[in-house]
Amino acid sequence: MFTLRCLIVTVLLGCFTLKIAAQSVQSVALMGTVTNATTGQPMSNANVFVIETRKGVQTDKDGFYLFTLKPGTYNLKISYIGFVPLYREVVLRQGENRVSFQLEDDTRLLEEVTVTTGKPEENVQKVEIGASRLNIRSIQRIPAFMGEVDVMRSLLMLPGVTTVGEGTSGINVRGGSIDQNLILMDDAPLFNTSHLFGFFSVFNQDAVRDVTLNRGGIPAQYGGRAASVLDVRLKYPNSEKFTGSGGIGLVASRLALEGPLVKGKLSTLLAVRASFNDFLFRLGPASLRGTKANFYDITNKWYWKISERSELTFTGYYSDDNFKIPSDSLSNVEVNASSSLYGYRTRSGTLRWQHTLRDNVTWEAVGVLSKYSANISVPDSSNALDLQSGITYANARVQYTNKSNERHQFLMGASAISYGIQPNNLVPGPFSNVLPVNLERENAVESALYIEDEWKVTDLLSVVAGLRYSQFLRLGAASVYRYTPGLPRSEDAVTEIENYGPGEVVKTYGGFEPRLAVRWTLNPATSVKMGYNRMIQYLHLISNTTSALPTARWATSSTYLRPQVANQVSIGLFKNLKNDTYETSAEVYYKKLKDAIDYRDGADIVLNPTLETAVLQGQGRAYGLEMMAKKNTGFWTGWVSYTYARTFLQIGGDHPEERINRGRWYPANYDRPHTLNAMAVYRPSVTTTVSFNFTFSSGRPGTFPKGRYLLYEPTIFGANVPIYTDRNQGRIPNYHRLDFSITFDEHPDKHPDRRWKGSWVFSIYNVYAHKNAFSVFYNIKPYSLASAYKLSIFGTIFPSLTYNFKF
């Protein structure tokens, strides 16, 4: 009997093994890349669809796709909005089958490119939550201020993204401050994203390929910030032929050239943009004729195809800004100012090597060097000074990616970052009465290990699970001030100074940062997604102004300044209608922030060696609802988004001086409960495109006087003194604005053989000239009541005309 049972088990195991073997024989891999036929650029999120199986996938950021199918003949449809769909028959045999495709630009297409770069189904099919993608085509359709296409300003049309006001740098994402956003340009971080104090962004439209904003389920390879990740990817240089593009505008002009040095092997892209606006101010009032407001930036990218399996890219970036307001232009303004010159510049370089072990397994090594510096120069002979600050960043990262299994997309990596921060140095002029101040340099190292797997559990359920561990070391040389126990921290309470030598560990922080995203597909057009992420931020922008200047101070976490830790959960419903003509989504989120930063009343932080006496830390919370509806096809396209969002802080220290609003919850500076954005594009012909966008948002919080009292001192008899109570208990007026643009393109049938193609863009910013309040302030004068004033940055219509070209 035992022998018979063994025989039966042996036969069953043999049959099972044969079945597995047969299945493995029947499963073959189909893989390849999708590229732009004109430029050779890889096309991320292009759709590859198998007609026989009714299944499709989207390509990754390198244009790569992967299928697992049985051997046989299949018909594929490769599509990407704005390009001619490609139909191809392929025959699959045993082993790996590699087939690549090139898509042609459809110049006659009347369907507009909208906010998503890929096929609309990814709204439902993608596992990630809280992510938005824009390609440069969609950004260029948004009416631009003074004709300059602006990546950062275009993000404000997305749900969950706001700013404290016009002409400010940075964005606020889901209740985060501007320093809580990790902004990358080809892996290099940007510590200032604006030109001319926030009027324009640093990204040149001729060099940008696409933009991804992650504000929900943030991938494990990203860290160091508490709110969001903005990943800006630049174009790969054209490796087949020389091309150029550019534009001439009232404020700035630009030129980009790209092409091969060794065809198919070595190519480069050079994009230059410059603004020389002094002549415009000379045409204005006499008080503005000494104003200077200029910038330029240079973007350079190299691509070297070392072999069929290895490639090397280098990206370099340099920008410089100079801004000066003459003292006589301030003669009617009651402030103590002179003709100060503000200057700031960014320099960065990224070297990236990628090696393909096999068609779906890659190694990647990235090295980044970046330096940001800022200075304020005051030329007055008796008070001449130069205030200098800067931050140096170096990063090395390696990553292994394995996509060999259709059900598992796996990656893991490690990174190490070095920070060197010079907070502020005050250098007096040659005959100045100003004394020098040198704040000590801050040095730190941040390292991380991460792992992530995208697991397709079933056809209906997919999970992206990741884990990141980060560690932060604050290093010497450093001086740590010790304070009297039981007293609030102040310069008068310092008892001793503990000194650390170069390289000594001053303070250590670290922790695990789990990431999770889940997608449950209810039907082909509907899915539910959930996400959770924990983020730890070790680097902080220290500024107690409403809008941080490019010269604001950066600081690392230290003995007293603890890292900010954010925990966020979100859930959303995503649904497409009428064969993906319409996309809809609704997401709710809740975020808890530990060790949120705010400042004491009247805090002095610019040249403060004891920063911990000015900075307060507590807790924060943010929650909201984000809804969006988009129309993807037709003569009329566009989207509408609405966001309800609240952000509160609670600073409750051990002493009354270390509390804000007596330790009660209060709105953050960037708390805007309601935001409505609408974007509409009408394309009646292949030569004309008309765009509108409208935005409305609640006024941000402000602190206003609740009363006044009279002083009866002999020298200031009868002076009015305002009475301030709690912080951020009032609000400035609501914000709303309408913009318009019209683009005239050259007809594709006119001079079809001529390489030069031109277009005119006419735009109007703030069509109905609404004077939106940036701030409300009070002018206190003796013997009279205080007067309230509203400051508007763009209080009138701003028309512009730009000529764009390519060849």
Side-chain angles (χ1 to χ4, degrees):
M1 176 67 82
F2 177 77
T3 304
L4 180 60
R5 288 178 179 175
C6 289
L7 180 60
I8 294 173
V9 170
T10 302
V11 171
L12 291 176
L13 286 175
C15 293
F16 183 75
T17 303
L18 288 173
K19 183 177 179 181
I20 295 296
Q23 288 179 346
S24 64
V25 169
Q26 292 176 355
S27 298
V28 297
L30 171 63
M31 65 191 68
T33 57
V34 180
T35 58
N36 186 318
T38 304
T39 65
Q41 297 282 329
M43 302 178 68
S44 60
N45 295 291
N47 190 67
V48 183
F49 184 75
V50 181
I51 295 176
E52 284 77 9
T53 64
R54 309 300 297 171
K55 292 183 178 180
V57 296
Q58 278 89 34
T59 56
D60 64 10
K61 63 183 180 66
D62 297 315
F64 180 81
Y65 73 92
L66 172 67
F67 273 110
T68 301
L69 299 166
K70 296 179 181 180
T73 302
Y74 296 91
N75 290 283
L76 305 183
K77 178 185 177 182
I78 303 89
S79 59
Y80 192 98
I81 296 178
F83 288 77
V84 179
L86 178 65
Y87 294 87
R88 181 72 60 83
E89 181 181 273
V90 297
V91 179
L92 302 187
R93 298 181 176 84
Q94 291 298 328
E96 293 183 350
N97 297 264
R98 187 177 183 89
V99 184
S100 296
F101 307 100
Q102 291 184 329
L103 294 183
E104 297 282 350
D105 195 347
D106 190 353
T107 58
R108 296 176 176 273
L109 190 65
L110 298 185
E111 298 172 354
E112 180 53 49
V113 179
T114 57
V115 67
T116 304
T117 61
K119 194 170 174 62
E121 287 117 337
E122 75 173 19
N123 178 55
V124 174
Q125 295 175 357
K126 283 286 186 180
V127 183
E128 60 196 8
I129 184 173
S132 299
R133 291 185 177 86
L134 299 94
N135 65 11
I136 194 60
R137 290 187 174 204
S138 60
I139 296 172
Q140 289 170 339
R141 297 305 183 194
I142 298 175
F145 173 69
M146 297 303 290
E148 270 299 295
V149 172
D150 195 319
V151 169
M152 298 300 294
R153 196 181 297 274
S154 67
L155 297 174
L156 298 175
M157 298 300 296
L158 301 177
V161 184
T162 60
T163 182
V164 295
E166 292 178 311
T168 60
S169 61
I171 55 176
N172 303 106
V173 180
R174 285 189 173 179
S177 56
I178 63 172
D179 67 322
Q180 292 179 1
N181 306 304
L182 177 61
I183 301 177
L184 302 172
M185 182 168 62
D186 271 7
D187 295 303
L190 296 174
F191 299 99
N192 176 52
T193 60
S194 69
H195 285 306
L196 301 184
F197 289 86
F199 289 109
F200 309 106
S201 76
V202 298
F203 303 105
N204 188 330
Q205 61 169 304
D206 295 319
V208 173
R209 185 181 71 182
D210 54 51
V211 177
T212 302
L213 177 66
N214 286 288
R215 59 191 185 276
I218 297 175
Q221 63 262 41
Y222 299 115
R225 298 294 189 275
S228 71
V229 176
L230 178 65
D231 190 4
V232 179
R233 292 289 168 176
L234 303 183
K235 298 192 301 183
Y236 282 90
N238 194 319
S239 59
E240 298 299 323
K241 62 180 180 180
F242 280 98
T243 61
S245 61
I248 301 173
L250 296 177
V251 173
S253 298
R254 63 189 198 279
L255 176 66
L257 301 172
E258 59 179 310
L261 300 181
V262 180
K263 192 170 183 178
K265 284 286 187 180
L266 179 64
S267 56
T268 186
L269 164 70
L270 178 64
V272 180
R273 182 173 53 155
S275 170
F276 303 101
N277 300 310
D278 296 353
F279 77 95
L280 292 176
F281 294 106
R282 295 192 188 102
L283 301 176
S287 60
L288 294 178
R289 289 174 186 172
T291 301
K292 296 182 180 296
N294 300 315
F295 72 86
Y296 70 90
D297 55 49
I298 302 172
T299 307
N300 185 214
K301 186 166 185 175
W302 291 79
Y303 173 76
W304 180 22
K305 187 176 182 181
I306 302 172
S307 67
E308 289 299 323
R309 293 188 175 273
S310 294
E311 63 182 36
L312 188 70
T313 60
F314 171 78
T315 302
Y317 178 80
Y318 184 89
S319 71
D320 188 273
D321 277 73
N322 291 282
F323 187 84
K324 176 185 177 181
I325 299 179
S327 56
D328 57 352
S329 69
L330 302 168
S331 58
N332 296 324
V333 183
E334 295 183 2
V335 297
N336 182 15
S338 63
S339 53
S340 301
L341 176 64
Y342 294 82
Y344 49 96
R345 59 207 55 85
T346 297
R347 286 164 284 177
S348 69
T350 303
L351 187 65
R352 177 177 176 266
W353 171 76
Q354 180 173 297
H355 178 70
T356 303
L357 299 176
R358 51 185 189 272
D359 286 329
N360 44 15
V361 180
T362 60
W363 274 104
E364 180 180 273
V366 179
V368 179
L369 289 174
S370 178
K371 185 174 183 180
Y372 175 73
S373 57
N375 67 281
I376 304 174
S377 298
V378 179
D380 299 344
S381 58
S382 60
N383 295 305
L385 61 88
D386 193 15
L387 185 65
Q388 305 168 349
S389 63
I391 179 170
T392 302
Y393 171 100
N395 179 23
R397 178 175 62 87
V398 293
Q399 181 172 299
Y400 169 81
T401 305
N402 190 329
K403 300 179 180 179
S404 59
N405 191 319
E406 189 180 3
R407 290 193 175 273
H408 288 276
Q409 309 285 321
F410 171 82
L411 64 85
M412 63 179 180
S415 70
I417 301 172
S418 171
Y419 298 105
I421 298 178
Q422 182 56 59
N424 273 313
N425 278 342
L426 194 154
V427 182
F431 305 104
S432 176
N433 298 323
V434 178
L435 297 177
V437 177
N438 293 311
L439 299 183
E440 66 180 11
R441 180 183 173 90
E442 300 180 14
N443 300 297
V445 173
E446 179 184 343
S447 57
L449 298 172
Y450 58 88
I451 185 172
E452 184 176 278
D453 182 35
E454 181 174 342
W455 179 25
K456 186 178 180 181
V457 183
T458 68
D459 289 341
L460 300 180
L461 178 64
S462 292
V463 177
V464 176
L467 183 64
R468 180 185 181 91
Y469 179 80
S470 61
Q471 185 179 57
F472 179 86
L473 304 177
R474 173 69 186 273
L475 304 177
S479 300
V480 177
Y481 292 79
R482 303 298 182 185
Y483 299 89
T484 303
L487 294 178
R489 287 197 293 265
S490 67
E491 292 186 14
D492 296 332
V494 175
T495 58
E496 63 174 327
I497 301 176
E498 186 175 352
N499 295 309
Y500 291 82
E504 283 191 77
V505 177
V506 178
K507 186 67 176 179
T508 302
Y509 295 101
F512 288 98
E513 304 176 50
R515 316 288 170 82
L516 179 68
V518 180
R519 184 213 65 209
W520 178 262
T521 303
L522 303 179
N523 57 56
T526 311
S527 67
V528 176
K529 303 179 187 180
M530 294 171 286
Y532 166 77
N533 56 264
R534 176 184 173 91
M535 308 283 286
I536 304 177
Q537 178 169 334
Y538 303 103
L539 189 67
H540 316 280
L541 180 62
I542 307 300
S543 174
N544 56 355
T545 59
T546 300
S547 173
L549 294 174
T551 53
R553 179 176 176 177
W554 287 86
T556 63
S557 295
S558 61
T559 303
Y560 299 105
L561 186 57
R562 299 178 298 276
Q564 300 180 77
V565 182
N567 289 276
Q568 179 182 253
V569 294
S570 55
I571 184 171
L573 176 65
F574 301 81
K575 185 174 182 60
N576 291 0
L577 304 168
K578 293 189 176 180
N579 296 321
D580 301 324
T581 298
Y582 298 93
E583 296 179 42
T584 61
S585 63
E587 296 182 45
V588 293
Y589 67 90
Y590 182 84
K591 181 192 295 184
K592 193 87 170 178
L593 185 63
K594 179 183 177 183
D595 290 320
I597 291 177
D598 211 332
Y599 305 91
R600 291 191 180 194
D601 292 332
D604 180 14
I605 60 178
V606 176
L607 292 170
N608 191 343
T610 57
L611 193 60
E612 60 272 11
T613 63
V615 175
L616 302 175
Q617 289 189 277
Q619 59 180 330
R621 66 187 182 198
Y623 54 86
L625 165 67
E626 299 172 354
M627 297 187 294
M628 192 168 188
K630 295 184 288 185
K631 184 176 184 290
N632 293 314
T633 60
F635 292 94
W636 280 98
T637 58
W639 68 87
V640 177
S641 68
Y642 168 76
T643 302
Y644 174 77
R646 299 307 310 268
T647 306
F648 297 95
L649 298 176
Q650 184 185 49
I651 309 294
D654 296 330
H655 307 280
E657 299 91 335
E658 297 175 338
R659 300 171 191 154
I660 296 178
N661 292 3
R662 298 174 295 283
R664 297 182 297 181
W665 290 95
Y666 63 95
N669 289 335
Y670 34 85
D671 174 63
R672 290 181 179 268
H674 303 282
T675 303
L676 175 68
N677 294 310
M679 172 72 183
V681 179
Y682 176 58
R683 197 172 185 188
S685 68
V686 295
T687 61
T688 306
T689 304
V690 182
S691 302
F692 301 89
N693 74 263
F694 174 79
T695 182
F696 168 88
S697 63
S698 303
R700 61 172 179 80
T703 303
F704 309 127
K706 295 295 184 181
R708 64 186 177 94
Y709 66 92
L710 297 177
L711 280 180
Y712 292 97
E713 297 293 331
T715 57
I716 50 175
F717 181 80
N720 286 291
V721 178
I723 300 174
Y724 292 90
T725 56
D726 289 344
R727 186 180 298 187
N728 287 357
Q729 298 306 300
R731 288 191 180 272
I732 67 173
N734 294 334
Y735 179 98
H736 53 89
R737 190 190 78 246
L738 175 67
D739 304 328
F740 161 83
S741 74
I742 183 168
T743 303
F744 298 100
D745 295 302
E746 186 175 315
H747 199 283
D749 292 337
K750 184 180 181 181
H751 309 297
D753 298 328
R754 191 176 70 180
R755 292 188 58 182
W756 184 278
K757 303 292 182 182
S759 65
W760 289 93
V761 181
F762 174 72
S763 62
I764 299 177
Y765 184 88
N766 197 8
V767 170
Y768 50 84
H770 182 64
K771 294 183 178 181
N772 288 296
F774 177 81
S775 64
V776 174
F777 62 95
Y778 290 80
N779 192 0
I780 309 297
K781 294 182 179 180
Y783 315 111
S784 62
L785 296 176
S787 301
Y789 296 90
K790 182 176 71 172
L791 173 64
S792 297
I793 304 297
F794 302 133
T796 186
I797 295 175
F798 283 85
S800 64
L801 181 65
T802 303
Y803 176 71
N804 295 316
F805 57 87
K806 60 182 179 179
F807 56 89

